[in-house]
PDB file of all heavy atoms in Angstrom:
ATOM      1  N   VAL A 617      44.302  17.777-206.416  1.00  0.00           N
ATOM      2  CA  VAL A 617      43.056  17.195-206.122  1.00  0.00           C
ATOM      3  C   VAL A 617      42.275  16.874-207.408  1.00  0.00           C
ATOM      4  O   VAL A 617      41.701  15.881-207.648  1.00  0.00           O
ATOM      5  CB  VAL A 617      42.158  18.003-205.129  1.00  0.00           C
ATOM      6  CG1 VAL A 617      40.686  17.536-205.083  1.00  0.00           C
ATOM      7  CG2 VAL A 617      42.731  17.940-203.732  1.00  0.00           C
ATOM      8  N   PHE A 618      42.182  17.881-208.236  1.00  0.00           N
ATOM      9  CA  PHE A 618      41.449  17.788-209.480  1.00  0.00           C
ATOM     10  C   PHE A 618      42.205  16.781-210.431  1.00  0.00           C
ATOM     11  O   PHE A 618      41.669  15.774-211.031  1.00  0.00           O
ATOM     12  CB  PHE A 618      41.392  19.089-210.232  1.00  0.00           C
ATOM     13  CG  PHE A 618      40.359  20.028-209.562  1.00  0.00           C
ATOM     14  CD1 PHE A 618      40.718  21.383-209.332  1.00  0.00           C
ATOM     15  CD2 PHE A 618      39.113  19.558-209.020  1.00  0.00           C
ATOM     16  CE1 PHE A 618      39.756  22.238-208.714  1.00  0.00           C
ATOM     17  CE2 PHE A 618      38.217  20.372-208.436  1.00  0.00           C
ATOM     18  CZ  PHE A 618      38.507  21.702-208.282  1.00  0.00           C
ATOM     19  N   GLU A 619      43.561  16.976-210.557  1.00  0.00           N
ATOM     20  CA  GLU A 619      44.342  16.047-211.386  1.00  0.00           C
ATOM     21  C   GLU A 619      44.317  14.616-211.049  1.00  0.00           C
ATOM     22  O   GLU A 619      44.323  13.789-211.995  1.00  0.00           O
ATOM     23  CB  GLU A 619      45.800  16.630-211.486  1.00  0.00           C
ATOM     24  CG  GLU A 619      45.955  17.909-212.145  1.00  0.00           C
ATOM     25  CD  GLU A 619      47.278  18.616-211.769  1.00  0.00           C
ATOM     26  OE1 GLU A 619      48.157  17.942-211.115  1.00  0.00           O
ATOM     27  OE2 GLU A 619      47.433  19.781-212.067  1.00  0.00           O
ATOM     28  N   GLN A 620      44.207  14.327-209.790  1.00  0.00           N
ATOM     29  CA  GLN A 620      44.156  12.912-209.269  1.00  0.00           C
ATOM     30  C   GLN A 620      42.811  12.271-209.422  1.00  0.00           C
ATOM     31  O   GLN A 620      42.743  11.011-209.058  1.00  0.00           O
ATOM     32  CB  GLN A 620      44.670  12.928-207.874  1.00  0.00           C
ATOM     33  CG  GLN A 620      46.096  13.365-207.635  1.00  0.00           C
ATOM     34  CD  GLN A 620      47.091  12.312-208.096  1.00  0.00           C
ATOM     35  OE1 GLN A 620      46.755  11.108-208.367  1.00  0.00           O
ATOM     36  NE2 GLN A 620      48.443  12.591-208.282  1.00  0.00           N
ATOM     37  N   GLY A 621      41.864  13.023-209.862  1.00  0.00           N
ATOM     38  CA  GLY A 621      40.516  12.389-209.968  1.00  0.00           C
ATOM     39  C   GLY A 621      39.797  12.145-208.630  1.00  0.00           C
ATOM     40  O   GLY A 621      39.094  11.167-208.467  1.00  0.00           O
ATOM     41  N   LEU A 622      40.085  12.983-207.661  1.00  0.00           N
ATOM     42  CA  LEU A 622      39.586  12.747-206.316  1.00  0.00           C
ATOM     43  C   LEU A 622      38.179  13.421-206.214  1.00  0.00           C
ATOM     44  O   LEU A 622      37.633  13.269-205.149  1.00  0.00           O
ATOM     45  CB  LEU A 622      40.568  13.365-205.237  1.00  0.00           C
ATOM     46  CG  LEU A 622      41.857  12.651-205.238  1.00  0.00           C
ATOM     47  CD1 LEU A 622      42.816  13.349-204.184  1.00  0.00           C
ATOM     48  CD2 LEU A 622      41.912  11.148-205.017  1.00  0.00           C
ATOM     49  N   THR A 623      37.665  14.070-207.154  1.00  0.00           N
ATOM     50  CA  THR A 623      36.366  14.638-207.091  1.00  0.00           C
ATOM     51  C   THR A 623      35.621  14.272-208.330  1.00  0.00           C
ATOM     52  O   THR A 623      36.228  14.045-209.354  1.00  0.00           O
ATOM     53  CB  THR A 623      36.318  16.219-206.948  1.00  0.00           C
ATOM     54  OG1 THR A 623      37.119  16.761-208.074  1.00  0.00           O
ATOM     55  CG2 THR A 623      37.119  16.608-205.631  1.00  0.00           C
ATOM     56  N   PRO A 624      34.310  14.207-208.276  1.00  0.00           N
ATOM     57  CA  PRO A 624      33.467  13.623-209.356  1.00  0.00           C
ATOM     58  C   PRO A 624      33.577  14.450-210.695  1.00  0.00           C
ATOM     59  O   PRO A 624      33.220  15.608-210.780  1.00  0.00           O
ATOM     60  CB  PRO A 624      32.097  13.783-208.834  1.00  0.00           C
ATOM     61  CG  PRO A 624      32.143  13.870-207.409  1.00  0.00           C
ATOM     62  CD  PRO A 624      33.418  14.584-207.076  1.00  0.00           C
ATOM     63  N   ASN A 625      34.222  13.700-211.670  1.00  0.00           N
ATOM     64  CA  ASN A 625      34.286  14.370-213.065  1.00  0.00           C
ATOM     65  C   ASN A 625      34.867  15.660-213.197  1.00  0.00           C
ATOM     66  O   ASN A 625      34.392  16.501-214.054  1.00  0.00           O
ATOM     67  CB  ASN A 625      32.813  14.130-213.617  1.00  0.00           C
ATOM     68  CG  ASN A 625      32.225  12.855-213.541  1.00  0.00           C
ATOM     69  OD1 ASN A 625      32.806  11.884-214.129  1.00  0.00           O
ATOM     70  ND2 ASN A 625      31.246  12.771-212.769  1.00  0.00           N
ATOM     71  N   LEU A 626      35.744  16.020-212.370  1.00  0.00           N
ATOM     72  CA  LEU A 626      36.353  17.397-212.468  1.00  0.00           C
ATOM     73  C   LEU A 626      37.919  17.237-212.453  1.00  0.00           C
ATOM     74  O   LEU A 626      38.497  17.292-211.373  1.00  0.00           O
ATOM     75  CB  LEU A 626      36.015  18.138-211.238  1.00  0.00           C
ATOM     76  CG  LEU A 626      34.640  18.606-211.155  1.00  0.00           C
ATOM     77  CD1 LEU A 626      34.207  19.248-209.797  1.00  0.00           C
ATOM     78  CD2 LEU A 626      34.325  19.675-212.289  1.00  0.00           C
ATOM     79  N   PRO A 627      38.600  17.105-213.625  1.00  0.00           N
ATOM     80  CA  PRO A 627      37.989  16.730-214.890  1.00  0.00           C
ATOM     81  C   PRO A 627      38.209  15.335-215.121  1.00  0.00           C
ATOM     82  O   PRO A 627      37.804  14.716-216.060  1.00  0.00           O
ATOM     83  CB  PRO A 627      38.972  17.565-215.831  1.00  0.00           C
ATOM     84  CG  PRO A 627      40.317  17.644-215.152  1.00  0.00           C
ATOM     85  CD  PRO A 627      39.874  17.591-213.700  1.00  0.00           C
ATOM     86  N   GLU A 628      38.916  14.550-214.272  1.00  0.00           N
ATOM     87  CA  GLU A 628      39.359  13.230-214.394  1.00  0.00           C
ATOM     88  C   GLU A 628      38.330  12.362-213.767  1.00  0.00           C
ATOM     89  O   GLU A 628      37.876  12.673-212.687  1.00  0.00           O
ATOM     90  CB  GLU A 628      40.687  13.072-213.595  1.00  0.00           C
ATOM     91  CG  GLU A 628      41.427  11.785-213.799  1.00  0.00           C
ATOM     92  CD  GLU A 628      42.018  11.616-215.151  1.00  0.00           C
ATOM     93  OE1 GLU A 628      42.212  12.517-215.925  1.00  0.00           O
ATOM     94  OE2 GLU A 628      42.298  10.351-215.522  1.00  0.00           O
ATOM     95  N   PRO A 629      37.837  11.198-214.373  1.00  0.00           N
ATOM     96  CA  PRO A 629      36.918  10.319-213.752  1.00  0.00           C
ATOM     97  C   PRO A 629      37.578   9.756-212.563  1.00  0.00           C
ATOM     98  O   PRO A 629      38.806   9.470-212.365  1.00  0.00           O
ATOM     99  CB  PRO A 629      36.653   9.265-214.754  1.00  0.00           C
ATOM    100  CG  PRO A 629      37.212   9.849-216.006  1.00  0.00           C
ATOM    101  CD  PRO A 629      38.285  10.853-215.725  1.00  0.00           C
ATOM    102  N   MET A 630      36.680   9.524-211.470  1.00  0.00           N
ATOM    103  CA  MET A 630      37.144   8.878-210.230  1.00  0.00           C
ATOM    104  C   MET A 630      37.541   7.447-210.449  1.00  0.00           C
ATOM    105  O   MET A 630      36.694   6.665-211.067  1.00  0.00           O
ATOM    106  CB  MET A 630      36.099   9.010-209.123  1.00  0.00           C
ATOM    107  CG  MET A 630      35.991  10.424-208.715  1.00  0.00           C
ATOM    108  SD  MET A 630      34.511  10.635-207.598  1.00  0.00           S
ATOM    109  CE  MET A 630      35.288  10.149-206.093  1.00  0.00           C
ATOM    110  N   PRO A 631      38.732   7.037-210.049  1.00  0.00           N
ATOM    111  CA  PRO A 631      39.054   5.490-210.225  1.00  0.00           C
ATOM    112  C   PRO A 631      38.354   4.746-209.190  1.00  0.00           C
ATOM    113  O   PRO A 631      37.658   5.164-208.328  1.00  0.00           O
ATOM    114  CB  PRO A 631      40.619   5.598-210.035  1.00  0.00           C
ATOM    115  CG  PRO A 631      40.778   6.725-209.069  1.00  0.00           C
ATOM    116  CD  PRO A 631      39.664   7.811-209.430  1.00  0.00           C
ATOM    117  N   GLU A 632      38.655   3.410-209.278  1.00  0.00           N
ATOM    118  CA  GLU A 632      38.042   2.482-208.318  1.00  0.00           C
ATOM    119  C   GLU A 632      38.573   2.826-206.921  1.00  0.00           C
ATOM    120  O   GLU A 632      39.542   3.494-206.777  1.00  0.00           O
ATOM    121  CB  GLU A 632      38.301   1.015-208.751  1.00  0.00           C
ATOM    122  CG  GLU A 632      39.594   0.595-208.977  1.00  0.00           C
ATOM    123  CD  GLU A 632      40.355   0.263-207.862  1.00  0.00           C
ATOM    124  OE1 GLU A 632      39.766  -0.109-206.831  1.00  0.00           O
ATOM    125  OE2 GLU A 632      41.611   0.422-207.799  1.00  0.00           O
ATOM    126  N   PRO A 633      37.953   2.349-205.790  1.00  0.00           N
ATOM    127  CA  PRO A 633      38.320   2.825-204.506  1.00  0.00           C
ATOM    128  C   PRO A 633      39.665   2.692-203.914  1.00  0.00           C
ATOM    129  O   PRO A 633      40.305   3.545-203.432  1.00  0.00           O
ATOM    130  CB  PRO A 633      37.196   2.036-203.577  1.00  0.00           C
ATOM    131  CG  PRO A 633      36.147   1.789-204.466  1.00  0.00           C
ATOM    132  CD  PRO A 633      36.646   1.524-205.832  1.00  0.00           C
ATOM    133  N   ASP A 634      40.300   1.532-204.352  1.00  0.00           N
ATOM    134  CA  ASP A 634      41.572   1.322-203.757  1.00  0.00           C
ATOM    135  C   ASP A 634      42.621   2.303-204.469  1.00  0.00           C
ATOM    136  O   ASP A 634      43.561   2.792-203.852  1.00  0.00           O
ATOM    137  CB  ASP A 634      42.115  -0.163-204.044  1.00  0.00           C
ATOM    138  CG  ASP A 634      41.349  -1.083-203.057  1.00  0.00           C
ATOM    139  OD1 ASP A 634      40.800  -0.684-202.118  1.00  0.00           O
ATOM    140  OD2 ASP A 634      41.423  -2.425-203.243  1.00  0.00           O
ATOM    141  N   GLU A 635      42.455   2.536-205.766  1.00  0.00           N
ATOM    142  CA  GLU A 635      43.316   3.333-206.449  1.00  0.00           C
ATOM    143  C   GLU A 635      43.078   4.792-206.034  1.00  0.00           C
ATOM    144  O   GLU A 635      43.993   5.588-205.883  1.00  0.00           O
ATOM    145  CB  GLU A 635      43.093   3.289-208.034  1.00  0.00           C
ATOM    146  CG  GLU A 635      43.796   4.351-208.876  1.00  0.00           C
ATOM    147  CD  GLU A 635      45.334   4.315-208.745  1.00  0.00           C
ATOM    148  OE1 GLU A 635      45.921   3.326-208.195  1.00  0.00           O
ATOM    149  OE2 GLU A 635      45.854   5.374-209.125  1.00  0.00           O
ATOM    150  N   TRP A 636      41.782   5.153-205.769  1.00  0.00           N
ATOM    151  CA  TRP A 636      41.379   6.465-205.315  1.00  0.00           C
ATOM    152  C   TRP A 636      42.160   6.767-203.919  1.00  0.00           C
ATOM    153  O   TRP A 636      42.624   7.764-203.679  1.00  0.00           O
ATOM    154  CB  TRP A 636      39.840   6.479-205.118  1.00  0.00           C
ATOM    155  CG  TRP A 636      39.285   7.848-204.813  1.00  0.00           C
ATOM    156  CD1 TRP A 636      39.028   8.862-205.684  1.00  0.00           C
ATOM    157  CD2 TRP A 636      38.929   8.306-203.485  1.00  0.00           C
ATOM    158  NE1 TRP A 636      38.479   9.939-204.867  1.00  0.00           N
ATOM    159  CE2 TRP A 636      38.432   9.610-203.562  1.00  0.00           C
ATOM    160  CE3 TRP A 636      39.078   7.636-202.136  1.00  0.00           C
ATOM    161  CZ2 TRP A 636      38.009  10.437-202.425  1.00  0.00           C
ATOM    162  CZ3 TRP A 636      38.627   8.425-201.080  1.00  0.00           C
ATOM    163  CH2 TRP A 636      38.066   9.812-201.224  1.00  0.00           C
ATOM    164  N   MET A 637      42.129   5.689-202.989  1.00  0.00           N
ATOM    165  CA  MET A 637      42.800   5.902-201.767  1.00  0.00           C
ATOM    166  C   MET A 637      44.345   5.995-201.969  1.00  0.00           C
ATOM    167  O   MET A 637      44.938   6.703-201.202  1.00  0.00           O
ATOM    168  CB  MET A 637      42.508   4.568-200.892  1.00  0.00           C
ATOM    169  CG  MET A 637      41.110   4.533-200.204  1.00  0.00           C
ATOM    170  SD  MET A 637      40.789   6.023-199.207  1.00  0.00           S
ATOM    171  CE  MET A 637      42.219   6.101-198.067  1.00  0.00           C
ATOM    172  N   ARG A 638      44.829   5.209-202.891  1.00  0.00           N
ATOM    173  CA  ARG A 638      46.258   5.357-203.186  1.00  0.00           C
ATOM    174  C   ARG A 638      46.630   6.759-203.550  1.00  0.00           C
ATOM    175  O   ARG A 638      47.567   7.382-202.993  1.00  0.00           O
ATOM    176  CB  ARG A 638      46.740   4.414-204.282  1.00  0.00           C
ATOM    177  CG  ARG A 638      48.249   4.305-204.384  1.00  0.00           C
ATOM    178  CD  ARG A 638      48.671   3.675-205.680  1.00  0.00           C
ATOM    179  NE  ARG A 638      48.276   4.449-206.973  1.00  0.00           N
ATOM    180  CZ  ARG A 638      48.986   5.528-207.368  1.00  0.00           C
ATOM    181  NH1 ARG A 638      49.986   6.049-206.657  1.00  0.00           N
ATOM    182  NH2 ARG A 638      48.561   6.219-208.404  1.00  0.00           N
ATOM    183  N   ARG A 639      45.905   7.329-204.473  1.00  0.00           N
ATOM    184  CA  ARG A 639      46.163   8.691-204.923  1.00  0.00           C
ATOM    185  C   ARG A 639      45.909   9.739-203.760  1.00  0.00           C
ATOM    186  O   ARG A 639      46.681  10.685-203.648  1.00  0.00           O
ATOM    187  CB  ARG A 639      45.279   9.104-205.983  1.00  0.00           C
ATOM    188  CG  ARG A 639      45.507   8.259-207.295  1.00  0.00           C
ATOM    189  CD  ARG A 639      44.599   8.691-208.460  1.00  0.00           C
ATOM    190  NE  ARG A 639      44.510   7.706-209.593  1.00  0.00           N
ATOM    191  CZ  ARG A 639      43.847   7.883-210.628  1.00  0.00           C
ATOM    192  NH1 ARG A 639      43.140   8.961-210.788  1.00  0.00           N
ATOM    193  NH2 ARG A 639      43.877   6.987-211.734  1.00  0.00           N
TER     194      ARG A 639
END
Side-chain angles (χ1 to χ4, degrees):
V617 165
F618 290 135
E619 288 160 14
Q620 294 285 343
L622 298 179
T623 59
N625 303 302
L626 288 169
E628 189 71 18
M630 294 173 79
E632 54 82 26
D634 288 348
E635 172 61 15
W636 187 85
M637 282 302 308
R638 187 196 68 75
R639 295 182 192 181

